[in-house]
Amino acid sequence: MKQLIFFTLQEVINARLFRLMLLAPMVLSLLALTFTGLFMLDLGKVFVDSMFTTAHILCFAFLMFMTVPFLARDIEARFTYVLLTLPINRNQYLIGRFLGLTMAFLLLISALAVVSVLSLELTQFIWDDLYMASANAGNIILGIALISCQYLSLMAVALFVFSWATGPAEVLSFTFLIWLLSWIFPPVLTAMQDADVAETVPPLLQAFLEGCYQLLPHLTGGDIANRLAHGASLSGSDISLYIAEHTAYTVILLILSTLLFRRRNL
Amino acid sequence: MSSITITKLRKSYSNHLVLDDISICLEPGKAIGILGENGAGKSTLIKCILKLVRPDEGEVSKSISQSEIAYLPEQSYLPETVSGMNMVRFAASYTATQDEAHAALTRVGLRKTAWNKPIRSYSKGMRQRTAIAMMLVRHPDWLILDEPMSGLDAIGRRQMLDLFLNERKNGRSILMSSHHVADMVRLCDEVTILSGGRVRESVAIQDRSVDEINYLEQKLADYAEGTE
């Protein structure tokens, strides 16, 4: 499986789009610095916030423009046939592809973290008198790492869809749908907590929606990043629970994917 | 070297019967052709042998392992961003050494200057050669070829065929599916005609003459039109 992981990594790294993505943090951090310069106060907070938004954009781009087309192409162009007739079984194929993509994703995230920390140092150097103490390298690295956790769950969603989908359109639409629903559900459920709304919604529908929400990845990385940018400290247990939740979600989806993929016709 | 035994294989896709009660024994050391019109079930039969598709009924002998088989799909797709050399090295990493990767690329006649270029710069023929090198580098007992010459020009077809003929001479077992009778007759020792998902006839190739080509073409047309 090791060979397949490194082969997948090589495939991704050689792609022009991925190389462009690796350059993007530098350009985006310059944009973030320009944007930060427009503010008069809390420059550190503004800069950290901008870098977290950059992390969301890059992670989403990697999910939709690298992971999804990469997996979809394996089905469409029948590269799966070539790989599965090497001494690779279906489980090794699926896990190897996922881990290869994950390694490329981690490379992208690391590049972003390094550029963010260097840019923060520059911010500190330029606007020393207006600098906000809570914006430090540790917070930036932690925020980016926690944001990337939720996209790892979404990559597992894409793999799960791939395990039963028959073509690229299905992989793209279902992955996008799940991402969209994951954003839509929390405000809907919060609104349903309101006494007036709760009266009009049948309990069965409420329970159904709650159940659906539990099946989706919880995209709360934005809230965490917001707290970090505002200097609010996160407890160790909060961080551990968040990481454990996304790791468990990813592992469960990987297991389900292998079970489905093992039985499907190619 | 193991034989491949297919017993009472049946496969349908949403009520459309693709393979119906197929039983064949593919003897090692021979080149065997599966001849049939488009939609006859040739690719599905190969996918069943490779366990890419699960048959509804019947089985393919378990005596042959995955590492003994190498497969060349119709119009093989190879990732655009990787070089031919790295593709073959990847295939070699499972069962062969890196030196053998060089040897395989030389054997299939891929120009040395192209080895380290990304596959997106390759022509169709060069891609096919790379895919064949990926097969050969693993030293499999069986080469399973699904329409290997499809989409190639006359020169490309000729070169591919010569390559497979050479492998046959070296004692490699070959299973090739095609609807191109002349290629079949030149390469194979035995041709099985598949039509409408059923095995119609097996013909031993004797002298590879034009008469044999004409005979098989007539038979194929008769089965496809339902006059036989």
Side-chain angles (χ1 to χ4, degrees):
Chain A
M1 193 159 72
K2 189 180 73 191
Q3 295 99 316
L4 183 61
I5 295 171
F6 286 107
F7 178 74
T8 306
L9 182 64
Q10 188 187 15
E11 254 188 280
V12 179
I13 287 175
N14 286 342
R16 283 177 189 161
L17 183 62
F18 184 73
R19 290 181 177 183
L20 209 67
M21 281 184 187
L22 278 180
L23 284 177
M26 278 182 249
V27 179
L28 291 171
S29 67
L30 283 176
L31 283 176
L33 279 173
T34 313
F35 178 70
T36 307
L38 298 174
F39 287 77
M40 297 297 288
L41 286 166
D42 291 344
L43 296 187
K45 189 189 80 179
V46 173
F47 178 73
V48 173
D49 239 346
S50 312
M51 287 320 289
F52 287 162
T53 307
T54 302
H56 275 290
I57 293 168
L58 266 184
C59 291
F60 182 75
F62 185 85
L63 173 73
M64 286 299 171
F65 304 123
M66 284 302 309
T67 308
V68 168
F70 187 90
L71 293 172
R73 190 213 55 207
D74 266 14
I75 309 177
E76 188 183 40
R78 297 165 186 177
F79 189 49
T80 322
Y81 293 177
V82 177
L83 292 178
L84 288 175
T85 46
L86 292 171
I88 299 172
N89 67 35
R90 291 190 181 207
N91 291 351
Q92 288 169 336
Y93 163 78
L94 212 62
I95 309 267
R97 278 314 223 187
F98 182 76
L99 292 180
L101 281 164
T102 303
M103 280 176 75
F105 179 66
L106 292 179
L107 194 68
L108 181 68
I109 289 302
S110 308
L112 178 67
V114 169
V115 170
S116 302
V117 169
L118 291 176
S119 305
L120 182 72
E121 292 299 319
L122 191 64
T123 319
Q124 227 167 345
F125 178 73
I126 302 170
W127 297 297
D128 191 31
D129 51 334
L130 294 169
Y131 182 68
M132 197 178 91
S134 66
N136 55 51
N139 271 3
I140 282 207
I141 292 171
L142 182 63
I144 290 174
L146 294 181
I147 288 170
S148 63
C149 276
Q150 70 182 37
Y151 286 92
L152 211 58
S153 296
L154 284 166
M155 278 166 65
V157 167
L159 191 84
F160 174 71
V161 176
F162 163 81
S163 69
W164 50 261
T166 54
E170 280 178 30
V171 182
L172 182 65
S173 347
F174 281 101
T175 308
F176 185 75
L177 184 73
I178 290 171
W179 172 80
L180 198 65
L181 285 175
S182 304
W183 282 117
I184 290 172
F185 263 86
V188 171
L189 291 174
T190 311
M192 278 167 39
Q193 303 298 316
D194 187 89
D196 293 341
V197 180
E199 269 177 28
T200 58
V201 180
L204 205 64
L205 178 64
Q206 201 162 351
F208 174 74
L209 290 176
E210 279 282 355
C212 287
Y213 178 61
Q214 294 310 318
L215 294 176
L216 298 168
H218 293 169
L219 308 184
T220 50
D223 302 338
I224 289 173
N226 200 28
R227 282 167 65 187
L228 283 171
H230 284 80
S233 61
L234 290 174
S235 70
S237 62
D238 278 354
I239 295 169
S240 310
L241 275 175
Y242 176 84
I243 293 171
E245 181 190 345
H246 284 289
T247 309
Y249 191 84
T250 305
V251 170
I252 289 169
L253 277 189
L254 276 180
I255 293 168
L256 287 175
S257 305
T258 53
L259 290 175
L260 286 172
F261 192 67
R262 206 185 296 170
R263 300 188 62 81
R264 74 170 284 185
N265 286 328
L266 290 163
Chain B
M1 208 184 280
S2 317
S3 62
I4 301 175
T5 312
I6 298 157
T7 320
K8 293 183 182 299
L9 207 69
R10 186 186 278 264
K11 176 71 193 170
S12 56
Y13 291 115
S14 45
N15 295 331
H16 173 62
L17 193 61
V18 182
L19 295 177
D20 184 13
D21 200 24
I22 303 278
S23 294
I24 325 172
C25 182
L26 307 170
E27 295 292 340
K30 278 184 173 179
I32 299 157
I34 305 282
L35 184 65
E37 75 276 10
N38 288 334
K42 304 183 295 289
S43 294
T44 305
L45 177 62
I46 285 181
K47 283 182 198 168
C48 286
I49 293 171
L50 296 166
K51 298 181 174 69
L52 294 171
V53 161
R54 298 161 74 89
D56 300 334
E57 285 172 37
E59 62 168 21
V60 177
S61 62
K62 300 278 189 291
S63 61
I64 193 148
S65 77
Q66 207 176 343
S67 57
E68 292 173 88
I69 297 179
Y71 171 56
L72 182 72
E74 186 184 356
Q75 293 179 354
S76 348
Y77 170 83
L78 300 173
E80 303 274 306
T81 58
V82 181
S83 68
M85 170 57 86
N86 283 340
M87 278 308 306
V88 180
R89 272 189 182 156
F90 168 62
S93 64
Y94 286 92
T95 46
T97 64
Q98 298 309 309
D99 287 345
E100 285 174 296
H102 289 89
L105 281 167
T106 310
R107 203 150 104 213
V108 298
L110 190 73
R111 285 195 320 271
K112 208 168 181 176
T113 48
W115 287 7
N116 291 311
K117 287 187 178 161
I119 283 172
R120 64 171 162 261
S121 65
Y122 284 19
S123 68
K124 212 169 202 173
M126 287 161 83
R127 285 169 197 235
Q128 201 75 337
R129 281 170 198 277
T130 311
I132 295 168
M134 283 178 71
M135 293 173 78
L136 299 183
V137 76
R138 293 173 43 219
H139 307 297
D141 292 342
W142 280 91
L143 299 182
I144 299 189
L145 318 168
D146 189 3
E147 308 270 4
M149 266 82 84
S150 105
L152 294 179
D153 59 18
I155 300 166
R157 291 181 88 86
R158 176 105 199 170
Q159 288 170 337
M160 279 308 128
L161 208 55
D162 287 344
L163 219 133
F164 296 135
L165 280 167
N166 200 33
E167 289 306 313
R168 194 193 67 189
K169 275 182 202 153
N170 292 338
R172 199 94 70 190
S173 313
I174 295 176
L175 173 67
M176 178 171 91
S177 89
S178 180
H179 52 256
H180 202 277
V181 181
D183 292 345
M184 262 315 165
V185 171
R186 276 195 69 201
L187 180 69
C188 299
D189 303 307
E190 191 183 312
V191 173
T192 296
I193 302 176
L194 195 70
S195 181
R198 305 193 74 168
V199 171
R200 303 292 180 170
E201 194 174 336
S202 280
V203 179
I205 301 297
Q206 307 287 336
D207 53 4
R208 308 184 194 282
S209 64
V210 177
D211 287 347
E212 267 184 329
I213 296 174
N214 291 338
Y215 171 78
L216 279 171
E217 272 177 351
Q218 188 56 51
K219 280 281 177 191
L220 183 63
D222 291 345
Y223 284 122
E225 288 160 12
T227 54
E228 184 99 13

